[in-house]
Amino acid sequence: MQTLYSTAQIAAVVQQLGKQINQDYAAQHEPLLVLIILKGALIFGADLLRQLTIPCEVELIRASSYRQGTSPGELSVAWGGIALEDRDILIVEDIVDTGQTARALIDHLGTISRSVKFCTLLDKPMRRTIEVPLDYIGMTLTGDPFIVGYGLDHAERYRELPYIAVLD
C-alpha cells in the first residue's frame, strides 16, 4: 500500500471543513442534525464533530452499496427511529463515487426535512453515474484508485489505519 493522504493532511482538511460548517450554520437557532453514515464515515464524522462549535445532534445511519467487494451493488439503508421532519440535516459520508447512495439519501431526506447538505471527505467524480450536489468536499481524487484507511475498508479490513492509502 502507498499512502495517499497522511494523518496530518487529513486533520487539516477536517479542520477546514469544520470551520466552513461552523460559519454556514452560525446564525442557526435549532441544533443541526448530523447524520454520520456507517461504517466508513464513523472516524471522519467523529473528527469532524470535534471541530464543530455550533449546536448539533448526532445520529448514525447505515447506507451501503458495497458488501464484500470493490464494486457497488444494490443500495441498503437502515434509518432506525430518527425524527427527521423539519430539521436541518448534514449528511456526513466518507467517499462519494457513483453518487447513488448520496442521491438516494438527499432525495429521501429532502422530502421531509427543512434542509439537507452533504459533506464528504473524499469525492471521486471519475466514478460518478448520477449528478449529486456536494456542499462540503474535503479532497477530490483523480483517477480511480481503490483506497483504504481512516474508516474506508476493503472487505472490512484496513479501517483502523490513521491515513488513507491506495490498495495494491
Side-chain angles (χ1 to χ4, degrees), residues 85-162:
E85 295 77 16
D86 298 319
R87 300 291 304 267
D88 291 305
I89 296 174
L90 177 66
I91 302 168
V92 176
E93 178 66 294
D94 55 354
I95 187 168
V96 174
D97 52 15
T98 66
Q100 298 290 334
T101 301
R103 171 53 62 190
L105 290 169
I106 291 167
D107 288 351
H108 176 75
L109 294 171
T111 63
I112 58 176
S113 61
R114 184 172 31 239
S115 72
V116 177
K117 290 194 176 185
F118 203 98
C119 177
T120 185
L121 176 63
L122 298 160
D123 183 22
K124 197 175 194 182
M126 183 177 196
R127 297 281 312 265
R128 197 81 80 245
T129 60
I130 188 169
E131 279 299 311
V132 60
L134 301 176
D135 303 285
Y136 306 99
I137 299 171
M139 298 171 274
T140 300
L141 295 168
T142 56
D144 191 20
F146 193 87
I147 54 176
V148 295
Y150 196 69
L152 296 145
D153 76 305
H154 176 264
E156 295 299 323
R157 295 186 57 215
Y158 309 110
R159 290 188 195 277
E160 74 283 358
L161 298 175

